PDB file of all heavy atoms in Angstrom:
ATOM      1  N   GLU A  20     103.690 139.313 -33.083  1.00  0.00           N
ATOM      2  CA  GLU A  20     103.973 138.288 -32.038  1.00  0.00           C
ATOM      3  C   GLU A  20     105.426 138.636 -31.367  1.00  0.00           C
ATOM      4  O   GLU A  20     106.267 139.158 -32.054  1.00  0.00           O
ATOM      5  CB  GLU A  20     104.091 136.894 -32.696  1.00  0.00           C
ATOM      6  CG  GLU A  20     102.822 136.505 -33.316  1.00  0.00           C
ATOM      7  CD  GLU A  20     102.946 135.862 -34.708  1.00  0.00           C
ATOM      8  OE1 GLU A  20     103.841 136.374 -35.385  1.00  0.00           O
ATOM      9  OE2 GLU A  20     102.097 135.093 -35.117  1.00  0.00           O
ATOM     10  N   SER A  21     105.540 138.108 -30.199  1.00  0.00           N
ATOM     11  CA  SER A  21     106.851 138.242 -29.522  1.00  0.00           C
ATOM     12  C   SER A  21     106.999 137.134 -28.423  1.00  0.00           C
ATOM     13  O   SER A  21     106.035 136.500 -28.080  1.00  0.00           O
ATOM     14  CB  SER A  21     106.992 139.664 -28.776  1.00  0.00           C
ATOM     15  OG  SER A  21     105.987 139.761 -27.873  1.00  0.00           O
ATOM     16  N   GLY A  22     108.235 136.972 -28.013  1.00  0.00           N
ATOM     17  CA  GLY A  22     108.526 136.049 -26.969  1.00  0.00           C
ATOM     18  C   GLY A  22     109.089 134.612 -27.325  1.00  0.00           C
ATOM     19  O   GLY A  22     109.299 133.785 -26.502  1.00  0.00           O
ATOM     20  N   GLY A  23     109.308 134.367 -28.612  1.00  0.00           N
ATOM     21  CA  GLY A  23     109.854 133.130 -29.027  1.00  0.00           C
ATOM     22  C   GLY A  23     111.324 133.033 -28.653  1.00  0.00           C
ATOM     23  O   GLY A  23     111.930 133.860 -28.167  1.00  0.00           O
ATOM     24  N   GLY A  24     111.908 131.927 -29.117  1.00  0.00           N
ATOM     25  CA  GLY A  24     113.330 131.816 -28.990  1.00  0.00           C
ATOM     26  C   GLY A  24     113.684 130.290 -28.749  1.00  0.00           C
ATOM     27  O   GLY A  24     113.028 129.389 -29.053  1.00  0.00           O
ATOM     28  N   LEU A  25     114.968 130.184 -28.162  1.00  0.00           N
ATOM     29  CA  LEU A  25     115.550 128.821 -27.850  1.00  0.00           C
ATOM     30  C   LEU A  25     115.495 128.602 -26.393  1.00  0.00           C
ATOM     31  O   LEU A  25     115.915 129.507 -25.601  1.00  0.00           O
ATOM     32  CB  LEU A  25     116.892 128.884 -28.416  1.00  0.00           C
ATOM     33  CG  LEU A  25     117.802 127.621 -28.130  1.00  0.00           C
ATOM     34  CD1 LEU A  25     117.199 126.414 -28.732  1.00  0.00           C
ATOM     35  CD2 LEU A  25     119.250 127.822 -28.526  1.00  0.00           C
ATOM     36  N   VAL A  26     115.083 127.322 -26.111  1.00  0.00           N
ATOM     37  CA  VAL A  26     115.072 127.039 -24.603  1.00  0.00           C
ATOM     38  C   VAL A  26     115.318 125.492 -24.537  1.00  0.00           C
ATOM     39  O   VAL A  26     115.042 124.781 -25.440  1.00  0.00           O
ATOM     40  CB  VAL A  26     113.681 127.345 -24.040  1.00  0.00           C
ATOM     41  CG1 VAL A  26     112.514 126.497 -24.669  1.00  0.00           C
ATOM     42  CG2 VAL A  26     113.655 127.200 -22.562  1.00  0.00           C
ATOM     43  N   GLN A  27     115.884 125.120 -23.388  1.00  0.00           N
ATOM     44  CA  GLN A  27     116.144 123.717 -23.193  1.00  0.00           C
ATOM     45  C   GLN A  27     114.788 123.029 -22.788  1.00  0.00           C
ATOM     46  O   GLN A  27     113.916 123.567 -22.233  1.00  0.00           O
ATOM     47  CB  GLN A  27     117.206 123.482 -22.104  1.00  0.00           C
ATOM     48  CG  GLN A  27     118.646 123.901 -22.565  1.00  0.00           C
ATOM     49  CD  GLN A  27     119.697 123.582 -21.505  1.00  0.00           C
ATOM     50  OE1 GLN A  27     119.368 123.529 -20.286  1.00  0.00           O
ATOM     51  NE2 GLN A  27     120.821 123.246 -21.957  1.00  0.00           N
ATOM     52  N   ALA A  28     114.906 121.699 -23.092  1.00  0.00           N
ATOM     53  CA  ALA A  28     113.731 120.917 -22.594  1.00  0.00           C
ATOM     54  C   ALA A  28     113.493 120.969 -21.162  1.00  0.00           C
ATOM     55  O   ALA A  28     114.429 121.078 -20.309  1.00  0.00           O
ATOM     56  CB  ALA A  28     113.984 119.434 -22.972  1.00  0.00           C
ATOM     57  N   GLY A  29     112.099 121.115 -20.844  1.00  0.00           N
ATOM     58  CA  GLY A  29     111.840 121.424 -19.398  1.00  0.00           C
ATOM     59  C   GLY A  29     111.684 122.875 -19.055  1.00  0.00           C
ATOM     60  O   GLY A  29     111.151 123.196 -18.086  1.00  0.00           O
ATOM     61  N   GLY A  30     112.098 123.718 -20.005  1.00  0.00           N
ATOM     62  CA  GLY A  30     112.030 125.100 -19.729  1.00  0.00           C
ATOM     63  C   GLY A  30     110.671 125.718 -20.072  1.00  0.00           C
ATOM     64  O   GLY A  30     109.736 125.009 -20.440  1.00  0.00           O
ATOM     65  N   SER A  31     110.619 127.094 -19.999  1.00  0.00           N
ATOM     66  CA  SER A  31     109.364 127.797 -20.225  1.00  0.00           C
ATOM     67  C   SER A  31     109.563 128.933 -21.211  1.00  0.00           C
ATOM     68  O   SER A  31     110.675 129.518 -21.197  1.00  0.00           O
ATOM     69  CB  SER A  31     108.760 128.284 -18.968  1.00  0.00           C
ATOM     70  OG  SER A  31     108.501 127.270 -17.973  1.00  0.00           O
ATOM     71  N   LEU A  32     108.511 129.335 -21.894  1.00  0.00           N
ATOM     72  CA  LEU A  32     108.536 130.532 -22.808  1.00  0.00           C
ATOM     73  C   LEU A  32     107.171 131.091 -22.644  1.00  0.00           C
ATOM     74  O   LEU A  32     106.181 130.322 -22.412  1.00  0.00           O
ATOM     75  CB  LEU A  32     108.881 130.242 -24.204  1.00  0.00           C
ATOM     76  CG  LEU A  32     110.338 129.982 -24.592  1.00  0.00           C
ATOM     77  CD1 LEU A  32     110.435 129.595 -26.044  1.00  0.00           C
ATOM     78  CD2 LEU A  32     111.150 131.203 -24.280  1.00  0.00           C
ATOM     79  N   ARG A  33     106.975 132.409 -22.775  1.00  0.00           N
ATOM     80  CA  ARG A  33     105.709 133.037 -22.860  1.00  0.00           C
ATOM     81  C   ARG A  33     105.570 133.774 -24.219  1.00  0.00           C
ATOM     82  O   ARG A  33     106.393 134.805 -24.446  1.00  0.00           O
ATOM     83  CB  ARG A  33     105.527 134.034 -21.723  1.00  0.00           C
ATOM     84  CG  ARG A  33     104.088 134.598 -21.676  1.00  0.00           C
ATOM     85  CD  ARG A  33     104.075 135.557 -20.447  1.00  0.00           C
ATOM     86  NE  ARG A  33     102.637 135.935 -20.223  1.00  0.00           N
ATOM     87  CZ  ARG A  33     102.263 137.147 -19.886  1.00  0.00           C
ATOM     88  NH1 ARG A  33     103.095 138.163 -19.934  1.00  0.00           N
ATOM     89  NH2 ARG A  33     101.004 137.485 -19.645  1.00  0.00           N
TER      90      ARG A  33
END
Side-chain angles (χ1 to χ4, degrees):
E20 300 133 332
S21 61
L25 173 64
V26 65
Q27 287 188 330
S31 298
L32 283 175
R33 187 184 191 225

